[in-house]
Amino acid sequence: MTETMDPIRTELERHDCWFPSTDRVARRPDVTAFKQTARLQQSKWREAQGYPKGRSQGGGRLSDNGSRLAPVEPLGGDFRNFLSSPAIRAAVTHRSSSEAKAAERGQQFNETRLRQDLLSSMPMCFNLFGELHGDPERLTRFGKELGLDRPGLEVRFEHSPGRRVLEFTNDGTAFDVALFFGEPDGPRTVVGIETKFHEHALKESAPDAVSRMPRYAEISERAVADGILKPGWQGLLNTELQQIWRDHLLVLSMLQHPSGLWDEGLYVLVHPQGNPSFAEAGARYRDEFLADDSTFAVKTVEELLDYGVLHSPEVEREFRNRYLW
């Protein structure tokens, strides 16, 4: 009897996108299908642009990878992974500068991933929010869509108020992008955003009891006293909700900071509508562990685009063509 080739696998292999060890999620065919489709979409986009494919390490050998770009030199001058908007490319240039890197102490800023990985949520974040950078008026309009009534101040990509600093979360957590609103000399609103694309929610090991948990517990217990978290937040430890909680804690640590610099805050988890893993994880975190969700929101990429604020019409079409289907 002749074995019939899986047509999905055939399509993925034709575009150098068959990576079952990365894309297949046990007992979740819906998540697997999304991840495979996202990878295929990026490979087809690359092919349409005429960009050569890259290679990746897997199974002990290098193999062609349609969802990566072949490297070019100089790395810092490579903007193939970004939309055509000058504002987006200016945001990438600014964040990649030595000054911006020096300001973010303790960061892990992977420029190769930023420039060459088509599936990474890191370049997608720049492509989604980059036109807010250096445009306070557009940032103000976006803030109003989120229910904020303060003027836009600034946008910072791959930002933390302090990595491995005890007054915040005492770890390396950072926002994919942080938006600040308010007056230059007054209290600020911070919107910390985590973007997801091809990723799915994974279980994390419980935080180290000595170096991490004391500070996490301190922030969490104050959040319980403030009516934000429910008692019993410990139930999310060692689950796929733990990363969402740690990111949320970074916003809460800023609101709890004795300086009073930040008096309003919101953590926003952003994912494509078709990503079932983070849709479910965000809903579970909100429903099971939050007493008050005024500092937490889950938004789909489609919702944010529908505000009609993030991009010019031409750039929005580019974004939708590349990331949505």
Side-chain angles (χ1 to χ4, degrees):
M1 181 176 181
T2 303
E3 183 179 353
T4 302
M5 189 68 168
D6 180 352
I8 297 174
R9 176 172 177 172
T10 300
E11 175 78 352
L12 292 166
E13 287 182 338
R14 183 163 61 246
H15 295 276
D16 298 296
C17 287
W18 178 247
F19 292 96
S21 62
T22 303
D23 293 342
R24 185 174 288 161
V25 180
R27 297 179 296 280
R28 290 301 305 264
D30 55 340
V31 178
T32 298
F34 171 79
K35 290 168 74 70
Q36 290 177 332
T37 303
R39 187 182 295 278
L40 183 61
Q41 177 86 352
Q42 293 309 295
S43 185
K44 289 182 175 180
W45 177 86
R46 175 193 53 76
E47 292 168 0
Q49 308 308 307
Y51 298 147
K53 62 194 168 192
R55 310 193 80 194
S56 61
Q57 188 76 36
R61 63 185 180 88
L62 277 173
S63 59
D64 289 343
N65 186 335
S67 59
R68 289 187 66 86
L69 294 167
V72 298
E73 296 294 339
L75 182 63
D78 182 9
F79 292 98
R80 296 170 299 165
N81 209 2
F82 305 100
L83 306 182
S84 63
S85 163
I88 291 173
R89 297 181 179 204
V92 174
T93 298
H94 176 269
R95 183 59 183 84
S96 299
S97 68
S98 56
E99 294 81 6
K101 290 178 179 178
E104 296 283 341
R105 294 182 179 178
Q107 68 178 341
Q108 292 182 342
F109 187 78
N110 189 325
E111 192 120 3
T112 299
R113 175 178 168 232
L114 176 67
R115 306 279 182 173
Q116 296 171 12
D117 189 344
L118 299 173
L119 272 181
S120 170
S121 58
M122 187 185 190
M124 189 190 79
C125 184
F126 280 91
N127 283 327
L128 187 58
F129 296 104
E131 290 205 310
L132 299 179
H133 187 265
D135 191 341
E137 189 276 333
R138 189 192 291 266
L139 179 58
T140 299
R141 287 191 286 131
F142 182 68
K144 290 185 182 300
E145 296 290 345
L146 296 178
L148 307 177
D149 59 1
R150 286 176 167 171
L153 276 176
E154 62 178 329
V155 176
R156 297 184 184 181
F157 287 92
E158 296 290 324
H159 172 71
S160 171
R163 295 172 178 83
R164 298 174 182 83
V165 175
L166 190 58
E167 60 192 283
F168 298 108
T169 53
N170 197 34
D171 61 10
T173 302
F175 305 122
D176 289 339
V177 64
L179 315 178
F180 294 94
F181 302 83
E183 301 296 338
D185 57 352
R188 298 183 173 193
T189 297
V190 57
V191 178
I193 297 175
E194 177 77 9
T195 55
K196 299 297 184 183
F197 179 41
H198 171 264
E199 304 94 330
H200 66 286
L202 290 167
K203 286 186 178 182
E204 289 188 350
S205 300
D208 184 84
V210 176
S211 62
R212 295 287 182 258
M213 273 307 300
R215 182 59 180 140
Y216 292 163
E218 183 180 18
I219 300 167
S220 296
E221 287 301 322
R222 180 165 170 185
V224 170
D226 291 341
I228 297 172
L229 285 177
K230 294 178 182 178
W233 54 267
Q234 296 88 343
L236 55 73
L237 298 177
N238 197 31
T239 74
E240 69 275 13
L241 306 183
Q242 187 171 293
Q243 186 200 2
I244 296 173
W245 167 68
R246 290 193 297 106
D247 291 339
H248 189 203
L249 289 187
L250 186 56
V251 167
L252 296 180
S253 74
M254 296 171 76
L255 298 180
Q256 296 172 9
H257 197 269
S259 69
L261 179 59
W262 306 280
D263 65 347
E264 292 181 346
L266 179 66
Y267 169 68
V268 185
L269 175 66
V270 175
H271 63 84
Q273 181 176 303
N275 187 325
S277 180
F278 278 103
E280 294 169 12
R284 280 189 56 207
Y285 180 74
R286 181 187 60 235
D287 296 343
E288 297 178 21
F289 294 99
L290 294 186
D292 178 350
D293 65 0
S294 60
T295 63
F296 178 82
V298 181
K299 298 286 185 180
T300 66
V301 170
E302 290 86 342
E303 284 181 271
L304 299 185
L305 292 175
D306 286 345
Y307 292 160
V309 174
L310 288 175
H311 304 105
S312 65
E314 297 80 6
V315 176
E316 181 180 324
R317 281 194 293 271
E318 279 188 61
F319 187 98
R320 290 180 182 272
N321 179 61
R322 175 169 172 185
Y323 288 106
L324 305 178
W325 56 88

